[in-house]
């Protein structure tokens, strides 16, 4: 089980692309020492911020830091996640709750913390890193799929609400790992 944000994997690769593109970046991880290499690439445009998405105070601090450092939030990528596998009856309540706290409530808390700024800006893009598990459960992956199904539903509802409220929507997409997954819907006209 891993909880990655910008420290490893896809989050790290995305951070490298953002830096190469010349954009500013708030890179997050539970251990900011893992982000030193990213900051060294563009110290004038990259800030390392400690973030455990299961800690609401840390979430608020990360968003406040982004606003203090750069004045706005244009893109939010929710990439932290746990991948718990096993028979549902064999997983402990603690394991299941940690899975949902990270994959659902963590992403939701970060999104809710950033949304007021994006609404005030009348712009922004939220990318929820999801999985084919959000549209198709697999053997031993019921808990994981449950979190990704929840994230998909929350993301779709947010996209619809944004479109209704503003007609200049905050773009909200969910990205899957598989070509078999359905494409994200666009709710603008």
């Amino acid at each position: 089980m891993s909880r990655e944000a910008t420290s490893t994997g896809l989050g790290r690769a995305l951070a490298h692309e953002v830096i190469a593109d010349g954009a500013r970046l708030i890179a997050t991880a539970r251990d900011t020492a893992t982000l030193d290499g990213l900051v060294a690439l563009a110290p004038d445009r990259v800030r390392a911020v400690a973030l455990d998405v299961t800690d609401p105070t840390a979430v608020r601090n990360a968003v406040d830091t982004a606003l203090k450092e750069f004045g706005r939030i244009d893109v939010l990528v929710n990439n932290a996640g746990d991948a718990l596998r096993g028979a549902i009856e064999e997983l402990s309540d603690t394991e299941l709750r940690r899975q949902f706290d990270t994959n659902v409530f963590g992403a939701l808390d970060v999104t809710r913390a950033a949304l007021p700024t994006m609404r005030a800006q009348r712009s922004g893009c939220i990318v929820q890193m999801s999985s084919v598990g959000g549209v198709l459960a697999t053997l031993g992956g019921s808990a994981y799929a449950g979190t990704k199904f929840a994230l998909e539903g929350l993301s779709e509802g947010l996209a619809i609400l944004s479109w209704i409220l503003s007609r200049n929507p905050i773009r909200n997409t969910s990205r899957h790992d598989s070509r078999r997954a359905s494409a994200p819907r666009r709710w603008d006209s």
Side-chain angles (χ1 to χ4, degrees):
M1 193 178 318
S2 70
R3 284 192 232 177
E4 66 178 55
T6 320
S7 56
T8 61
L10 186 58
R12 185 66 159 224
L14 181 57
H16 278 284
E17 290 297 317
V18 168
I19 293 167
D21 195 44
R24 299 176 296 186
L25 173 69
I26 296 292
T28 64
R30 286 176 294 155
D31 177 6
T32 58
T34 63
L35 304 174
D36 291 346
L38 289 175
V39 174
L41 293 173
D44 57 320
R45 296 183 286 114
V46 179
R47 303 292 182 273
V49 177
L51 177 59
D52 177 342
V53 298
T54 65
D55 177 353
T57 300
V59 167
R60 185 72 248 159
N61 289 341
V63 169
D64 289 347
T65 298
L67 294 172
K68 179 181 168 209
E69 292 291 323
F70 299 133
R72 59 184 294 120
I73 298 173
D74 295 308
V75 179
L76 166 64
V77 178
N78 278 316
N79 187 55
D82 276 344
L84 180 64
R85 298 194 54 81
I88 198 78
E89 70 276 11
E90 295 174 358
L91 300 173
S92 71
D93 283 353
T94 300
E95 290 172 314
L96 289 167
R97 289 179 195 286
R98 184 175 62 221
Q99 176 101 71
F100 274 83
D101 283 347
T102 300
N103 294 2
V104 180
F105 294 108
L108 184 58
D109 286 348
V110 175
T111 300
R112 291 186 325 182
L115 269 174
T117 297
M118 290 180 165
R119 290 204 196 284
Q121 293 169 178
R122 296 191 50 78
S123 68
C125 178
I126 300 170
V127 179
Q128 309 282 22
M129 297 308 261
S130 187
S131 165
V132 69
V135 293
L136 177 69
T138 60
L139 182 63
S142 298
Y144 179 73
T147 66
K148 293 304 180 174
F149 270 75
L151 187 60
E152 292 287 329
L154 290 165
S155 298
E156 187 168 315
L158 176 60
I160 295 167
L161 178 63
S162 176
W163 178 77
I164 290 169
L165 289 178
S166 68
R167 291 292 202 169
N168 183 12
I170 295 168
R171 291 184 357 243
N172 181 60
T173 61
S174 187
R175 295 291 176 223
H176 310 286
D177 298 331
S178 171
R179 293 173 195 244
R180 295 184 339 180
S182 61
R185 292 187 181 113
R186 289 199 49 103
W187 293 100
D188 51 348
S189 51

